[in-house]
Amino acid sequence: MKQILISVLLFVSTNIFWAQEKCSFNDIEEALCHWFLSPEEGINKLLPAKSVSTKKNDFSAVLMENPKLYLGSIGENHKRLFVEFSSARKDKNKPEVYHIEGSTKVGKNLRKFRGTISITKLMEADPRMNDDSEKAQGVLIGDFSFDEYEKLPATGVFTGQMGITWLIDKKGKLRYNDSYDEADVIINAVYLGKWTSKQTGKSQTSRCSRYLVPCSGDLDIGDGEFIPNPKYYKYGWKGYKAGSYN
């Protein structure tokens, strides 16, 4: 019953903003939190996390779960953006900071990046939303900055906000929350911000997430499953097949 209710709530909230070109990160945070709400039970919001904290927990495994399963786009023409994370390491002195490495690809331009994710908020669901396999679950919100550091043309810096769901299982293991990955509409591991060129100083909107492209306007014409609009095929989407991330 919980799964059905959450799927319905997410489908409604997602249709409201997911296809909008200029949705805000506040919209995305709200949609991530919808996983864990049940108005019928009086559960209408998430609270500051008590089961986890930046000091005592290491969220590297959460951030690195399935590091290739991202769909993204950049700029007004929604050029296809490939994102792959290769490592996440918690800072020894600043527990809210994680050092991130990975790569991006737009067209033929493959670029390595390194940077940080800084956790700004940890929220936790009401315990009534946990099933028998879960001790606690919730949402992580952070700021990111990824620098394409190589001395190559067409390099820049990605900055913005991100959100991802976490879970502590009955064995006490902290991991990425994949409990709802089979829902009709999947919203998770969202990165929304901008890419600023080192060569020109100009910025373009960048967006990526697990399974879908957030705030994608008319790029996505699918119903629950991402399907690119043929008008964008020339920007890297031609030949895309559902579930193809590389």
Side-chain angles (χ1 to χ4, degrees):
M1 182 63 185
K2 180 177 75 171
Q3 179 81 33
I4 296 173
L5 174 62
I6 292 173
S7 295
V8 171
L9 285 169
L10 280 167
F11 188 80
V12 172
S13 65
T14 299
N15 281 342
I16 291 174
F17 81 87
W18 201 257
Q20 295 178 3
E21 189 78 35
K22 298 185 180 300
C23 68
S24 69
F25 189 80
N26 286 337
D27 297 320
I28 290 172
E29 182 177 326
E30 180 181 343
L32 285 168
C33 290
H34 262 99
W35 286 123
F36 311 107
L37 304 183
S38 178
E40 283 76 5
E41 298 180 72
I43 303 172
N44 298 303
K45 63 179 181 179
L46 275 69
L47 299 174
K50 293 183 178 180
S51 299
V52 295
S53 71
T54 55
K55 288 186 178 180
K56 73 176 183 180
N57 296 103
D58 188 337
F59 287 88
S60 297
V62 176
L63 299 172
M64 282 299 295
E65 177 71 17
N66 292 323
K68 297 181 180 181
L69 299 186
Y70 285 88
L71 286 173
S73 74
I74 187 169
E76 294 182 359
N77 291 323
H78 291 289
K79 292 181 180 179
R80 186 172 183 185
L81 169 65
F82 294 85
V83 178
E84 180 177 343
F85 296 97
S86 57
S87 69
R89 175 177 51 85
K90 185 176 181 177
D91 190 276
K92 294 181 180 180
N93 300 313
K94 298 179 180 179
E96 75 281 5
V97 175
Y98 287 76
H99 298 278
I100 309 296
E101 294 188 13
S103 63
T104 63
K105 183 181 177 184
V106 178
K108 295 182 179 180
N109 294 329
L110 177 64
R111 301 289 183 264
K112 295 179 181 179
F113 70 76
R114 59 191 173 206
T116 59
I117 292 175
S118 299
I119 298 175
T120 58
K121 189 187 303 185
L122 286 172
M123 296 176 284
E124 186 169 341
D126 188 292
R128 289 174 289 174
M129 295 300 293
N130 300 332
D131 62 26
D132 292 340
S133 66
E134 302 160 346
K135 291 182 66 175
Q137 56 183 331
V139 176
L140 177 159
I141 300 297
D143 297 327
F144 69 87
S145 178
F146 301 148
D147 176 21
E148 295 175 323
Y149 58 88
E150 298 172 292
K151 293 182 179 180
L152 295 170
T155 55
V157 179
F158 291 88
T159 55
Q161 293 177 280
M162 57 78 64
I164 195 169
T165 62
W166 57 267
L167 167 71
I168 297 180
D169 62 27
K170 285 299 184 182
K171 295 182 179 180
K173 183 178 180 180
L174 174 63
R175 58 181 178 82
Y176 168 77
N177 191 340
D178 60 359
S179 301
Y180 308 107
D181 277 12
E182 298 301 320
D184 291 336
V185 179
I186 304 169
I187 302 172
N188 215 337
V190 182
Y191 291 78
L192 182 66
K194 64 182 179 180
W195 176 83
T196 302
S197 168
K198 292 184 178 182
Q199 287 72 39
T200 67
K202 295 181 179 180
S203 297
Q204 301 182 67
T205 299
S206 63
R207 42 184 103 65
C208 75
S209 76
R210 192 73 56 84
Y211 308 115
L212 294 171
V213 181
C215 306
S216 58
D218 63 349
L219 169 65
D220 185 358
I221 59 174
D223 185 6
E225 181 179 61
F226 177 81
I227 299 176
N229 190 326
K231 69 183 283 187
Y232 295 103
Y233 280 179
K234 61 183 178 181
Y235 299 110
W237 294 104
K238 187 176 182 179
Y240 170 82
K241 296 180 181 180
S244 173
Y245 302 98
N246 48 43

